[in-house]
Amino acid sequence: MKILIAYAGKSGGCRSMCELLASHLPRHDVTLLDLTESTLSPEAFDYVVFGSAVRFSKLHRAARAYLSTYKEALVKKPHTLFLCCAFADQFENYAEMLFPEELLRSADDTVYFGGELNVSRQKGLDKLFARMIRTSIIESEEDEAMLPGLLPEHVRLLADRLRPM
Ligand SMILES: Cc1cc2nc3c(=O)[nH]c(=O)nc-3n(C[C@H](O)[C@H](O)[C@H](O)COP(=O)(O)O)c2cc1C
């Protein structure tokens, strides 16, 4: 099966989870597409996994641009959506708010890939915000172990579902 994994992130979290997903699907013909660098129509593929990092409660600009060009084509393709975001409790709200309704309703699933707050990977103002969010979580939880992280186990579950297709 020809699978398109199209993602948009800024500091490598989405990319690492999408590369992990591709590595678990060796028998499929997988194309990894970093939407911040290039774009491709979903039409030539049998299945699409599409998602984005969330910053300031928004999808990455490249993911929004992709949706405005290819939403109709994506709705017609079998697909799974994902988000990378640090606030796990907001994942469902973000999915409802950020993905077009038709795309969400027609998706096989919408998967939470987790999210990290790695200050050293951020630049400029993002670094400042990442540090502020980290500090507020640590102060509210009083436990550094409560900091969010990426969720490779969710990626593996998705791979288990796609592998036999
Ligand atoms: C400046 C900044 C803003 C962020 N805003 C949000 C947010 O609004 N909601 C959220 O859940 N996570 C937020 N995050 C966490 C990111 O979603 C998380 O770092 C994710 O792993 C980013 O994926 P990427 O590395 O592919 O860019 C933010 C992170 C940064 C650095």
Side-chain angles (χ1 to χ4, degrees):
M1 183 165 73
K2 285 186 75 170
I3 302 180
L4 174 65
I5 303 176
Y7 64 92
K10 202 167 171 186
S11 52
C14 281
R15 174 183 295 121
S16 67
M17 292 298 94
C18 289
E19 286 173 353
L20 179 69
L21 178 61
S23 75
H24 283 296
L25 299 170
R27 286 166 202 263
H28 289 295
D29 176 3
V30 177
T31 299
L32 266 173
L33 177 63
D34 180 348
L35 294 170
T36 66
E37 288 176 356
S38 55
T39 187
L40 265 181
S41 167
E43 269 152 18
F45 296 87
D46 305 308
Y47 199 96
V48 179
V49 177
F50 168 79
S52 170
V54 175
R55 271 168 207 246
F56 304 114
S57 306
K58 286 183 174 176
L59 297 183
H60 192 288
R61 191 186 314 124
R64 282 183 271 139
Y66 194 72
L67 284 177
S68 66
T69 309
Y70 293 117
K71 186 188 93 177
E72 306 304 329
L74 273 175
V75 167
K76 289 189 202 135
K77 283 285 160 201
H79 61 275
T80 289
L81 303 171
F82 75 84
L83 289 176
C84 249
C85 62
F87 303 134
D89 59 343
Q90 290 302 309
F91 164 68
E92 285 180 15
N93 287 343
Y94 287 145
E96 291 282 334
M97 189 171 75
L98 301 176
F99 290 124
E101 191 179 347
E102 280 170 279
L103 192 64
L104 201 59
R105 305 288 160 241
S106 53
D108 289 339
D109 199 1
T110 302
V111 181
Y112 180 44
F113 279 7
E116 58 187 356
L117 288 168
N118 192 331
V119 175
S120 64
R121 288 221 200 124
Q122 316 298 328
K123 291 180 192 146
L125 274 183
D126 284 357
K127 204 179 191 84
L128 184 71
F129 282 111
R131 192 172 286 125
M132 281 167 52
I133 302 169
R134 267 181 81 97
T135 306
S136 73
I137 293 172
I138 293 167
E139 280 172 359
S140 65
E141 302 289 349
E142 293 174 351
D143 181 359
E144 203 150 329
M146 296 307 291
L147 280 171
L150 293 166
L151 292 169
E153 58 274 30
H154 288 193
V155 174
R156 278 192 284 272
L157 287 174
L158 171 57
D160 289 346
R161 180 161 61 71
L162 298 180
R163 204 176 292 113
M165 284 181 148

